[in-house]
Amino acid sequence: MLKSISLQNFRSYKKAEFNFSGGTTIVIGPNTSGKTNFIEAIFLLSTGKSFRTDKDTQMISFREDLARVKARVGDPSANSGQVTELEVIITNGQIGGKTSQYKKFLVNGVSKRRVDFAENLTAVLFSPEDLEIIVDSPSLRRKFLDSVLEQVDREYRLAVSAYTKALRQRNALLENARETGVRNEKQFEYWDNLVIENGELITKKREEFINFVNNEAKDIFDFVAFYDKSVISKQRLLQYKEAEVASGVTLVGPHRDDFSVSMFNPSTSSGQATTHDIKFYGSRGQQRLTILQLKMLELLFVEKKLGQRPVLILDDIFSELDEGHIKLILEMINLQQTIITTTHKEFIPANVLNKMQVLHFSKEQQKTG
Ligand SMILES: Nc1ncnc2c1ncn2[C@@H]1O[C@H](COP(=O)(O)OP(=O)(O)O)[C@@H](O)[C@H]1O
Ligand SMILES: [Mg+2]
C-alpha cells in the first residue's frame, strides 16, 4: 500500500507531500491542476518509467536540473510499521557543472537497477488513453502487454530492456548494410542471437497473458483474444534477410506484435457461434466494456502473479464513460487501495464519495503543497 508521496521539482510541483489513508483516495481538481502529473509520479515509483513520455527529463520542472519523487509503502495488514522508502531522482545530466546520472532508483536509500526497483509498489493504471487500446494502433496494444507483464515479471523487464537495445544495434547494422550494399555476417551474429533469445521470451510471456485472458471468466463482457505474434527465430531472420537489408530495419519480432479481440455472436441457424473483431464490429459501448473487462483481468493477473492486489489508479476516466460503466468500476474500488482523479465529484454518487479520502487540487496550491 502507498502511504505517502512527496514531490520536488516534478513537473508542475515545486514541493508537495501527500498522505494516503488507505482505502480510496479521490483527487478533485480542474484541468491543468496537476492531477495527471501526480499520477505520473506514482506510476514512476511503481515502474521506474513515465506512462506518457519516453523522455524522462520532461518530468523535471521547467528551469530545474533535478526532480525527486519519494514514497513510503507498506503492508496494509501489518501495523508493524514495516515501511519501505522508495525514491526516484531524475536529472538533466548536469548538476552544478558536473555530469550526473540521468535516473537513479533507491530503496531505503540503497541504489538499485530499474529492473529491481519496480515491483516494490505495484499499480495498475487506467487512463483515458487506455480507452483506445482496441481501436488504436498496434503500438498501444504492445504497450498494454508490456505494462501488464513488466509489473509482475523481472525476467520480462530484463528481456524487454535487452531486446530494445539489441534491436537498436541490429537496425543500425541493417541501415548500414542498406547504404553500403554489404552485409557483414560476423557483426550480425551477436545481435541476432540477442534479439532471438530475448524476443522468444517476450513472445512466450505475452502468450501466457493472452491465454490467461482467454481462460478467465468474464462477467462484464465476453470476448476472445487472438495473439497476432511476429515470431522471431533464426529461420525467420534468414527468410527475411533480403527484405531487411532493403528496408534497413528488423522486420520480425515482438516489436511487430499485435493482438485483437472478438466478441461472440449468437449461434446462427447452423448452430455455429461466430466471432467478430470488436475493433471493426463492436459498438463504442462494446469496445468500452471490453476495455473495462481487460483492465479487470489485468488486476487479477497481477494479483495471481504476486499474491496481492496492486494499487488501482484511475486517472480522469469518468468523464469518458457513461453511468453504467462508472458503476462497474466503482464496484471494484474496495478490493484494493484505489486512487482516483476527477474534475467533477458529481461523477461519484454521494454515498460512495462519503467513504473516500478527498484531496482538492487547485492550479495554485500544487506549487507549494
Ligand atoms: N516539466 C514541467 N514543468 C512545469 N510544469 C509542467 C511540466 N510538464 C507539464 N507541466 C504543466 O502541468 C500542467 C498539466 O498538469 P496535468 O497534471 O496534466 O493536469 P490535469 O489536472 O489536467 O491532469 C500544465 O499546466 C503543464 O504546463
Ligand atoms: Mg489529466
Side-chain angles (χ1 to χ4, degrees), residues 137-154:
S137 64
S139 71
L140 200 61
R141 287 183 286 280
R142 288 192 293 269
K143 207 174 142 195
F144 169 71
L145 292 175
D146 282 344
S147 74
V148 175
L149 288 156
E150 289 212 12
Q151 278 294 338
V152 296
D153 197 326
R154 182 177 187 274

Side-chain angles (χ1 to χ4, degrees), residues 31-32 35-37 52 315-316 341:
N31 283 325
T32 72
K35 300 185 299 297
T36 299
N37 294 345
R52 54 174 175 181
D315 186 27
D316 210 5
T341 76

Side-chain angles (χ1 to χ4, degrees), residues 11-12 30-37 52 58 60-62:
R11 295 247 186 217
S12 51
N31 283 325
T32 72
S33 64
K35 300 185 299 297
T36 299
N37 294 345
R52 54 174 175 181
Q58 283 178 8
I60 306 171
S61 298
F62 302 146

Side-chain angles (χ1 to χ4, degrees), residues 12-43:
S12 51
Y13 294 89
K14 196 105 224 107
K15 214 170 171 54
E17 186 167 353
F18 305 91
N19 290 299
F20 299 93
S21 63
T24 301
T25 303
I26 185 161
V27 173
I28 305 170
N31 283 325
T32 72
S33 64
K35 300 185 299 297
T36 299
N37 294 345
F38 173 71
I39 297 302
E40 186 181 31
I42 300 174
F43 191 86

Side-chain angles (χ1 to χ4, degrees), residues 39-282:
I39 297 302
E40 186 181 31
I42 300 174
F43 191 86
L44 175 68
L45 286 160
S46 167
T47 63
K49 297 198 278 203
S50 165
F51 63 87
R52 54 174 175 181
T53 178
D54 291 329
K55 280 193 132 333
D56 293 323
T57 49
Q58 283 178 8
M59 289 183 277
I60 306 171
S61 298
F62 302 146
R63 293 178 297 278
E64 297 290 343
D65 297 326
L66 181 147
R68 189 193 304 270
V69 184
K70 280 202 228 183
R72 287 166 54 247
V73 300
D75 191 334
S77 56
N79 265 340
S80 57
Q82 259 283 359
V83 170
T84 306
E85 270 207 13
L86 306 178
E87 183 172 354
V88 183
I89 300 169
I90 298 166
T91 80
N92 60 14
Q94 285 277 317
I95 300 288
K98 278 198 241 154
T99 45
S100 61
Q101 236 175 308
Y102 283 98
K103 201 146 70 157
K104 214 173 155 180
F105 304 100
L106 300 133
V107 177
N108 290 330
V110 180
S111 190
K112 300 273 178 192
R113 295 166 68 191
R114 189 184 76 85
V115 286
D116 296 314
F117 178 81
E119 239 173 78
N120 282 294
L121 170 65
T122 44
V124 165
L125 170 71
F126 192 174
S127 69
E129 198 188 37
D130 290 319
L131 294 167
E132 309 304 320
I133 287 174
I134 289 170
V135 293
D136 212 304
S137 64
S139 71
L140 200 61
R141 287 183 286 280
R142 288 192 293 269
K143 207 174 142 195
F144 169 71
L145 292 175
D146 282 344
S147 74
V148 175
L149 288 156
E150 289 212 12
Q151 278 294 338
V152 296
D153 197 326
R154 182 177 187 274
E155 237 191 323
Y156 189 85
R157 292 196 287 274
L158 282 167
V160 167
S161 158
Y163 183 81
T164 310
K165 278 182 207 141
L167 190 65
R168 208 178 297 134
Q169 295 294 335
R170 192 174 185 276
N171 284 344
L173 286 183
L174 282 168
E175 179 56 36
N176 188 262
R178 192 175 70 99
E179 278 167 9
T180 61
V182 197
R183 222 187 105 113
N184 183 334
E185 297 303 333
K186 249 284 50 50
Q187 287 183 326
F188 272 92
E189 205 181 290
Y190 177 75
W191 300 111
D192 282 5
N193 286 336
L194 271 181
V195 290
I196 291 168
E197 185 187 317
N198 290 289
E200 279 175 344
L201 190 122
I202 293 169
T203 307
K204 184 178 132 236
K205 305 257 178 185
R206 285 180 178 176
E207 192 144 53
E208 272 171 31
F209 174 68
I210 299 283
N211 288 339
F212 172 86
V213 164
N214 286 333
N215 290 329
E216 283 298 314
K218 298 174 195 64
D219 45 11
I220 294 177
F221 193 76
D222 201 13
F223 62 82
V224 57
F226 297 102
Y227 181 24
D228 179 11
K229 64 183 164 189
S230 178
V231 175
I232 192 158
S233 63
K234 269 226 144 52
Q235 200 195 347
R236 287 258 290 171
L237 286 181
L238 202 63
Q239 190 185 332
Y240 281 85
K241 198 168 161 179
E242 266 151 46
E244 282 193 333
V245 173
S247 63
V249 291
T250 304
L251 294 172
V252 295
H255 65 291
R256 294 263 169 144
D257 274 355
D258 197 1
F259 73 88
S260 64
V261 283
S262 287
M263 56 191 179
F264 298 98
N265 272 14
S267 318
T268 52
S269 51
S270 66
Q272 281 269 297
T274 53
T275 64
H276 296 283
D277 194 323
I278 298 169
K279 178 174 183 170
F280 303 115
Y281 296 103

Side-chain angles (χ1 to χ4, degrees), residues 329-342:
I329 290 179
L330 292 176
E331 276 169 19
M332 60 172 190
I333 60 173
N334 291 325
L335 301 171
Q336 66 285 304
Q337 182 179 22
T338 301
I339 299 166
I340 300 173
T341 76
T342 185

